[in-house]
Amino acid sequence: GAGVSQSPSNKVTEKGKDVELRCDPISGHTALYWYRQSLGQGLEFLIYFQGNSAPDKSGLPSDRFSAERTGGSVSTLTIQRTQQEDSAVYLCASSLDNYGYTFGSGTRLTVV
Amino acid sequence: RKEVEQDPGPFNVPEGATVAFNCTYSNSASQSFFWYRQDCRKEPKLLMSVYSSGNEDGRFTAQLNRASQYISLLIRDSKLSDSATYLCVDTRRALTFGSGTRLQVQP
């Protein structure tokens, strides 16, 4: 597609439930990042995929968070047993050559 | 110390003013940076890259000072549409974002 697509755009879930957030990067982009942004805060790095290399998971805040990237394209971020502090906007970005990362419009997650 | 630090602002300036933001970084090995702008409740959008030679694009000029480990963004002739949060990004390893500087341009 023309841009980075994320779905759903909004998700409200009950505390304790699992959620899956999807990112469809720009076709051909080898690098993919997940970030989250709490209200009024900066972007917090979560995980980074680059080609076929092992992902950099150093930003994942707990073992309830995981992500995969299938076939070097679509990525899914999974949050298990959601907590209220997980409420944030989850942003995905992709890049071809480590220049000009393009962000999707994000998934706004609300845990009630 | 945070890897990338920014003054949160807000910077309130009149239209037509020149305004500058600095961003300090802690990793002396970092070599390239970005400035992104983020409008309220929107995703960040790339404004410009910053390498050792600096960068200029119209009213916007970015500079890198390796000795003092900071980058700067200068906006000349501010427009109302420049009102946004400006995010400094270190591209070393993962993209590391500062928490942003808010600019409010007033009529």
Side-chain angles (χ1 to χ4, degrees), chain A residues 35 37 56 58 99-101 104, chain B residues 36 38 43 46 51 93 95:
Chain A
Y35 289 84
Q37 187 173 32
D56 178 349
S58 60
Y99 177 83
Y101 289 84
Chain B
Y36 273 76
Q38 186 173 28
E43 72 273 19
L46 179 66
Y51 301 102
R93 194 179 64 85
L95 296 183

Side-chain angles (χ1 to χ4, degrees), chain B residues 1 23-33 50-54 63-72 90-92:
Chain B
R1 182 184 172 187
C23 163
T24 59
Y25 61 95
S26 62
N27 194 326
S28 60
S30 297
Q31 297 185 11
S32 63
F33 301 84
V50 192
Y51 301 102
S52 57
S53 57
Q63 297 283 351
L64 168 60
N65 184 316
R66 286 194 196 283
S68 301
Q69 291 186 210
Y70 73 87
I71 67 170
S72 62
D90 182 350
T91 66
R92 188 172 180 274

Side-chain angles (χ1 to χ4, degrees), chain A residues 38-106:
Chain A
S38 301
L39 190 63
Q41 302 297 311
L43 275 74
E44 177 188 0
F45 166 71
L46 297 177
I47 188 168
Y48 166 47
F49 297 89
Q50 174 61 60
N52 295 321
S53 302
D56 178 349
K57 304 179 182 180
S58 60
L60 295 178
S62 78
D63 59 8
R64 297 186 295 105
F65 288 73
S66 62
E68 61 178 26
R69 189 177 183 192
T70 53
S73 180
V74 173
S75 178
T76 302
L77 177 69
T78 301
I79 309 173
Q80 296 178 312
R81 305 181 302 282
T82 51
Q83 303 294 314
Q84 288 186 327
E85 61 262 28
D86 299 335
S87 296
V89 176
Y90 289 80
L91 290 159
C92 174
S94 73
S95 174
L96 175 62
D97 53 5
N98 289 332
Y99 177 83
Y101 289 84
T102 302
F103 280 83
S105 53

Side-chain angles (χ1 to χ4, degrees), chain B residues 5-51:
Chain B
E5 291 201 70
Q6 296 184 252
D7 181 342
F11 284 60
N12 295 304
V13 302
E15 273 187 290
T18 296
V19 61
F21 316 130
N22 281 346
C23 163
T24 59
Y25 61 95
S26 62
N27 194 326
S28 60
S30 297
Q31 297 185 11
S32 63
F33 301 84
F34 294 134
W35 281 104
Y36 273 76
R37 72 169 276 165
Q38 186 173 28
D39 294 287
C40 188
R41 299 175 78 86
K42 298 284 190 181
E43 72 273 19
K45 294 190 176 175
L46 179 66
L47 182 62
M48 59 199 317
S49 58
V50 192
Y51 301 102

Side-chain angles (χ1 to χ4, degrees), chain A residues 9-28:
Chain A
S9 54
N10 282 284
K11 175 74 176 177
V12 179
T13 189
E14 292 181 354
K15 179 181 171 182
K17 300 279 189 183
D18 298 352
V19 295
E20 284 190 354
L21 312 180
R22 177 187 169 107
C23 173
D24 203 338
I26 293 172
S27 179

